Amino acid sequence: MDIQQHTAATGSVHSGSSEEDTGGPGPADRLPLADFHDACGRILASINTVIEGKQEAARLALTVLLAQGHLLVEDVPGVGKTMLAKTLARTIDCSVHRIQFTPDLLPSDVTGVSIYNQDKHRFEFRPGPVFANIVIGDEINRASAKTQSALLECMEEHQVTVDGRSYTLDAPFMVVATQNPIEMEGTYPLPEAQRDRFMARISMGYPDPRAEMLMLETHQSMSPLREIRPVVGVGEVRAMVATVQDVYVSPAVKEYVVGIGRATREHPHLRLGASPRALLQLLRAAKAAAALDGRDFVLPDDVGSVAESVLAHRLMLDRKAITAGENASGIVAGILAKVPVGAEARRTAS
């Protein structure tokens, strides 16, 4: 196991399972929208100095962070998946751990283990690399299903349970995992329950020729990551998360989200549609997208802008659809084109 940037002190581990003891933002911690927008601009500008030509990927990564979700970055090797995760982590002055997933990695290598202290005659918990604000899981689908499942409780409940005792993870907490396509040698497909824990999935893709030329000119002598410095503190990130939580969602927009979810479950080409968790995360991502655009209310367009990234990786196509060459992204686009937007939501948008 390769754990880099081990910056979190073990003294930050808290015992208990209460969701209120997560260090989350309180009502007084919200930022004005102007300050929120300024902080987002600093983060995105810092990321874009390293990741050339991938502004949409950087924006979505920030959206997921502010919506208290987790991000899955999927693509072929060498297109900047891990670089994006590292750059996002370095823009924030918080604890960062990196885990290199391999077939021989054990669950205790991720969550931690209780070790007997002979001097004190008792067991003591040694926290694993998951105890950090941002956890980078590199090539997560190279580990076995047993090790992958060690992240389920961490990602959903923000806590780790070892030997019957729960330890709370500090907020903000975000897992940024990278994976290679499942067709590649030595990979294990993520199970449906694991994929459903990730708020969004993005594919980096190859850079355009201009960005690739710039990369060749600037990335030869040294890694641009060396020049990255934190532009926001962990307290400011908590306040930004609280600002997103305060974004208003009208009943009409909620009905629109429910309509999208039901359409995925009733689609003739899908064996598995969007779960209730998926709809909750779609709405949270839409709230973050609205705040990034400088608004304190959600429009249907905000839902549509994140729907493909939030829903596509959760959907399972039937064999006929796969044979016909259809894909989940195309199905989500078709659903967005057909699901009606309520009159109240249209009035808000206008």
Side-chain angles (χ1 to χ4, degrees):
M1 178 178 63
D2 176 22
I3 304 173
Q4 298 178 347
Q5 296 175 272
H6 198 91
T7 57
T10 57
S12 63
V13 179
H14 304 295
S15 174
S17 59
S18 172
E19 293 184 359
E20 297 179 355
D21 186 30
T22 60
D29 294 324
R30 292 171 176 83
L31 285 180
L33 273 179
D35 295 341
F36 175 92
H37 197 266
D38 177 68
C40 291
R42 295 198 307 270
I43 294 173
L44 292 175
S46 183
I47 294 175
N48 291 332
T49 61
V50 178
I51 309 296
E52 301 289 348
K54 297 297 178 183
Q55 287 82 1
E56 291 185 7
R59 179 184 170 91
L60 181 61
L62 179 58
T63 299
V64 173
L65 171 65
L66 298 176
Q68 302 180 85
H70 309 286
L71 181 65
L72 181 63
V73 189
E74 181 182 68
D75 217 317
V76 297
V79 294
K81 302 186 300 295
T82 305
M83 185 70 76
L84 173 64
K86 287 183 177 180
T87 306
L88 174 65
R90 290 199 180 188
T91 60
I92 303 169
D93 188 15
C94 64
S95 57
V96 181
H97 289 178
R98 176 177 177 268
I99 310 171
Q100 181 65 55
F101 282 83
T102 56
D104 60 345
L105 194 71
L106 299 176
S108 58
D109 295 328
V110 176
T111 59
V113 65
S114 293
I115 298 177
Y116 187 73
N117 188 323
Q118 293 185 348
D119 295 333
K120 298 181 179 179
H121 303 289
R122 65 184 183 189
F123 283 93
E124 294 180 348
F125 177 64
R126 300 291 176 86
V130 77
F131 284 88
N133 296 120
I134 295 183
V135 178
I136 302 172
D138 206 7
E139 297 184 309
I140 187 174
N141 61 334
R142 290 201 179 277
S144 65
K146 184 176 182 180
T147 301
Q148 291 176 13
S149 65
L151 287 172
L152 293 177
E153 181 186 18
C154 309
M155 296 171 68
E156 180 67 16
E157 302 175 38
H158 290 196
Q159 68 176 26
V160 171
T161 301
V162 177
D163 295 335
R165 188 173 182 182
S166 297
Y167 302 89
T168 303
L169 301 172
D170 287 336
F173 174 70
M174 179 184 184
V175 174
V176 184
T178 71
Q179 73 167 356
N180 298 324
I182 60 173
E183 297 84 6
M184 291 193 163
E185 186 176 353
T187 57
Y188 301 81
L190 294 180
E192 291 78 10
Q194 184 77 55
R195 291 203 307 269
D196 201 43
R197 294 300 200 278
F198 287 98
M199 174 175 284
R201 181 193 65 180
I202 59 175
S203 179
M204 296 293 293
Y206 292 107
D208 58 46
R210 184 198 63 82
E212 213 156 15
M213 283 291 296
L214 186 59
M215 179 193 69
L216 293 178
E217 293 175 0
T218 59
H219 292 200
Q220 291 189 57
S221 58
M222 67 175 185
S223 171
L225 277 174
R226 296 182 181 180
E227 302 297 324
I228 295 295
R229 297 292 182 270
V231 295
V232 295
V234 65
E236 192 170 3
V237 172
R238 290 173 181 164
M240 295 169 71
V241 169
T243 301
V244 169
Q245 290 175 340
D246 209 30
V247 171
Y248 173 72
V249 184
S250 69
V253 172
K254 294 176 183 176
E255 290 178 4
Y256 180 54
V257 171
V258 171
I260 292 172
R262 292 186 63 85
T264 65
R265 298 164 194 163
E266 298 169 358
H267 199 283
H269 293 160
L270 293 178
R271 292 191 294 120
L272 180 66
S275 66
R277 180 193 289 118
L279 300 189
L280 284 170
Q281 296 193 349
L282 176 59
L283 192 58
R284 283 160 48 190
K287 292 170 70 173
L292 277 167
D293 283 340
R295 283 180 280 104
D296 59 357
F297 58 93
V298 175
L299 298 177
D301 286 347
D302 298 319
V303 178
S305 68
V306 296
E308 190 274 332
S309 299
V310 173
L311 298 179
H313 66 287
R314 308 169 189 267
L315 307 180
M316 292 184 62
L317 279 67
D318 61 19
R319 292 182 179 180
K320 291 182 179 179
I322 296 174
T323 304
E326 294 199 43
N327 57 62
S329 297
I331 289 178
V332 172
I335 288 174
L336 292 176
K338 293 180 180 179
V339 174
V341 179
E344 180 186 342
R346 285 197 295 268
R347 285 195 298 271
T348 302
S350 62

